[in-house]
């Protein structure tokens, strides 16, 4: 087992016994980005210790990477879960497949997230069907319950929120909070720190936000960090991710989402 590295200040994490938690996740886990997932997992382990992070699994990313029937990838998923990595269901295909631009929600989904808001415009029945199928598939592969459901781009329309009530997931999160769909209780508040890699402008603004977050957010009891496969292609993003994890792990114990339910 790897212990978390000392921070740049030379101090070891001092929050192990407190309720100051650092929750870190790798988004968009699917067969189409296995190499990047491995690189991110290795990086997180160096900063956080063994398996102290979550993975968000997409059953069929952009309908190009089905995990159903992919025995080699099933073995990887079981191996990760067996190490103690929390496995969340992350939509079904990740893409908003509903007709374009109906009102504000349409604009938000199509333009702000490059069409990745799969659960923004679905009806309750359609959202519930995707959640139910994804949960059954992933739990069948893993042989254990999923940790929860997290919508692509953290975007939930009214149909998706209503469907969550039907499915019995233990945990869900959006940009600003973690909650339990079972109890309706909000378990943690505060913005998730994440990085965009799609364009130079978005890269610059996410580097700026992460720098601000390192200074301002550690007053919060729970800190959240999310990384994506595309981050590994941008050295400046990797440096910012490392700096952010080092700062946050200095005061907040790398933890499991399930700890919020205890
Ligand atoms: Zn995603």
């Amino acid at each position: 087992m790897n212990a978390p590295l000392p921070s740049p200040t030379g101090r070891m994490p001092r929050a192990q016994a407190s309720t100051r938690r650092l929750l870190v996740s790798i988004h968009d886990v699917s067969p189409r980005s296995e190499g990047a997932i491995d690189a991110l997992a290795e990086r997180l382990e160096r900063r956080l210790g063994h398996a102290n992070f979550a993975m968000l699994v997409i059953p069929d990313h952009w309908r190009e990477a089905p995990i159903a029937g992919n025995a080699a990838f099933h073995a990887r998923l079981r191996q990760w879960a067996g190490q103690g990595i929390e496995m969340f269901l992350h939509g079904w295909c990740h893409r908003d497949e509903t007709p374009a631009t109906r009102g504000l929600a349409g604009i938000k989904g199509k333009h702000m997230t490059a069409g990745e808001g799969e659960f923004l415009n679905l009806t309750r029945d359609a959202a519930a069907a995707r959640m139910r199928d994804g949960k059954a598939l992933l739990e069948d592969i893993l042989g254990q319950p999923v940790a929860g459901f997290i919508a692509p781009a953290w975007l939930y329309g009214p149909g998706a929120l209503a469907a969550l009530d039907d499915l019995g997931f233990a945990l869900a999160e959006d940009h600003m909070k973690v909650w339990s769909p079972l109890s309706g209780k909000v378990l943690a508040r505060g913005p998730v720190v994440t990085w965009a890699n799609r364009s130079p402008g978005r890269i610059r603004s996410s580097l700026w936000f992460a720098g601000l977050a390192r200074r301002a957010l550690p007053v919060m009891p729970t800190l959240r960090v999310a990384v994506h496969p595309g981050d590994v292609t941008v050295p400046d993003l990797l440096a910012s991710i490392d700096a952010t994890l080092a700062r946050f792990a200095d005061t907040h114990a790398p933890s499991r989402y399930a700890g919020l339910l205890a």
Side-chain angles (χ1 to χ4, degrees), residues 137-158:
L137 175 68
L138 198 49
E139 291 183 346
D140 191 42
I141 293 165
L142 297 174
Q144 64 182 54
V146 295
F149 176 85
I150 299 173
W154 293 284
L155 290 170
Y156 303 77

Side-chain angles (χ1 to χ4, degrees), residues 44-113:
L44 296 186
E45 288 224 1
R46 285 203 299 271
R47 290 285 172 200
L48 307 172
H50 186 65
N52 265 330
F53 52 91
M55 287 187 176
L56 277 56
V57 183
I58 309 171
D60 189 1
H61 200 176
W62 294 349
R63 301 200 184 271
E64 292 169 356
I67 62 174
N70 185 338
F73 198 72
H74 295 181
R76 294 303 314 277
L77 291 169
R78 278 195 294 270
Q79 185 190 18
W80 285 321
Q83 290 169 15
I85 296 169
E86 290 181 295
M87 307 301 273
F88 283 83
L89 177 63
H90 188 46
W92 178 267
C93 67
H94 207 280
R95 189 171 54 191
D96 183 359
E97 296 175 322
T98 55
T101 54
R102 279 179 323 206
L104 188 61
I107 291 164
K108 207 171 150 195
K110 304 290 184 193
H111 298 283
M112 287 175 60
T113 70

